[in-house]
Amino acid sequence: MRVERVLLDYGSGGKASHRLIGELFVRHLGNEVLNRLDDAAVLNISGPISVSTDSFTVDPIFFPGGDIGALAVHGTVNDVAMLGARPRYLTCGFILEEGLPMADLERIVQSMGRAAREAGVLVVTGDTKVVPRGMVDKIFINTTGIGEIFVPVAPSGHRARPGDVILVSGFVGDHGLAILSRREGLNFDAPVLSDCASLNHLVVRLLEAVPEVHVLRDPTRGGLATTLNEIAGQSGVECRIFEDRVPVRPEVSGGCSFLGLDPLYLANEGKFLCILPAEHARQALDIMQADPLGRDAARIGEVRAGHPGKVVLETPLGGTRLMDMLEGEQLPRIC
Ligand code: MG
């Protein structure tokens, strides 16, 4: 009999778990490391390494432009890459709600497998737990990524310097608006797709050509404004952004006005900020714009000494305002 839904004993460690591992996880994620199915994976890697972990609880689990499985790969691959590393390995932990349709789980795991192959990372170990109905909402996924740092000095939020320029790799706010419009049941004329994507191949090309990059960071939860606040704080500098240079799709800015949101605070899952000395900005932009994932890259601002720890937004008329970090959780379960 074909089982249509996830049962509690799929997480028991017994026969049912083993069937699930073999028929689903190994089938879609398998590789020579994972397939050994020992207690732990053996990795051949040379230091220094970049490691990052993240848990994914996005609601809904399928959204325009992606799903929780692809997001769990892209999100962690991107964090590992931002340190100037080639992501190599991923671990994944699943917490499943009893009753989750097997078809949904299979679609999610398939999507993870595709995303991992595209990013060139191996899923090397994993875990599955099933909890009773109502104790978790459908599926939560944790991934940890490991990569080899290949630049002499890793980019870091502490390295922004007055005189640097600030680049962004494309349109901001797409992921946040895609999730919110689906959750709120809004239908815009042109549906906004999540930008979720693995940026590691572009980042490797960029850093191999321009190792002088000071900061790389993906503006995920809290968006561009929050990420720039983190960097301004870590580096003790002012980040100044020119409002009319930040790329925002018309449909995203339209959706934001409707929902009372600011696209600069919306999550992105396939964009990065690059801060570097002005003399390298043109070359970096050329590399970014030559890649489909950076086609709409733009120079949006500069680093100054004036207001340490602050993000200043300059309007087209020359007015300025501070862009603070938000208080509390603006948009729960966005990633
Ligand atoms: Mg990040």
Side-chain angles (χ1 to χ4, degrees), residues 20-33:
L20 186 72
I21 291 169
E23 289 170 14
L24 186 67
F25 293 114
V26 169
R27 193 165 128 228
H28 294 299
L29 304 175
N31 55 70
E32 70 277 12
V33 185

Side-chain angles (χ1 to χ4, degrees), residues 75 78-79 82 217-220:
N78 290 344
D79 277 338
M82 293 302 133
R217 190 163 289 181
D218 54 343
T220 51

Side-chain angles (χ1 to χ4, degrees), residues 84-105:
R86 283 190 184 85
R88 302 261 327 262
Y89 303 112
L90 278 186
T91 74
C92 57
F94 294 86
I95 300 178
L96 309 177
E97 183 187 18
E98 175 193 15
L100 175 73
M102 280 304 289
D104 287 356
L105 180 59

Side-chain angles (χ1 to χ4, degrees), residues 83-283:
L83 274 284
R86 283 190 184 85
R88 302 261 327 262
Y89 303 112
L90 278 186
T91 74
C92 57
F94 294 86
I95 300 178
L96 309 177
E97 183 187 18
E98 175 193 15
L100 175 73
M102 280 304 289
D104 287 356
L105 180 59
E106 176 143 30
R107 199 174 141 197
I108 288 165
V109 175
Q110 231 167 11
S111 171
M112 289 185 83
R114 203 177 311 123
R117 280 189 297 279
E118 282 167 13
V121 295
L122 298 182
V123 175
V124 291
T125 184
D127 177 57
T128 311
K129 297 283 168 14
V130 182
V131 297
R133 218 176 271 271
M135 305 303 278
V136 66
D137 185 15
K138 300 181 192 75
I139 175 170
F140 290 172
I141 304 175
N142 173 276
T143 50
T144 296
I146 300 172
E148 286 166 318
I149 294 180
F150 64 92
V151 285
V153 188
S156 155
H158 296 268
R159 293 183 58 209
R161 294 289 173 268
D164 285 355
V165 301
I166 303 172
L167 314 178
V168 68
S169 65
F171 289 105
V172 301
D174 295 4
H175 177 76
L177 200 77
I179 298 292
L180 286 172
S181 51
R182 176 53 57 93
R183 208 187 285 170
E184 304 293 325
L186 302 178
N187 287 312
F188 299 114
D189 297 340
V192 176
L193 301 184
S194 166
D195 57 348
C196 82
S198 288
L199 298 164
N200 55 315
H201 300 305
L202 171 55
V203 164
V204 168
R205 268 199 300 285
L206 173 65
L207 291 179
E208 279 181 346
V210 192
E212 295 84 357
V213 167
H214 285 160
V215 185
L216 284 182
R217 190 163 289 181
D218 54 343
T220 51
R221 254 184 317 179
L224 186 79
T226 301
T227 301
L228 285 170
N229 267 284
E230 291 167 3
I231 297 167
Q234 283 180 300
S235 292
V237 295
E238 172 190 322
C239 291
R240 180 168 293 234
I241 296 302
F242 302 101
E243 192 174 25
D244 54 346
R245 293 198 204 160
V246 180
V248 182
R249 291 181 200 280
E251 52 271 39
V252 169
S253 76
C256 279
S257 332
F258 184 76
L259 293 166
L261 297 167
D262 183 339
L264 303 190
Y265 286 95
L266 283 186
N268 309 278
E269 290 292 345
K271 299 288 154 40
F272 65 91
L273 283 165
C274 172
I275 301 182
L276 77 176
E279 63 267 32
H280 300 292
R282 187 63 257 169
Q283 191 191 359

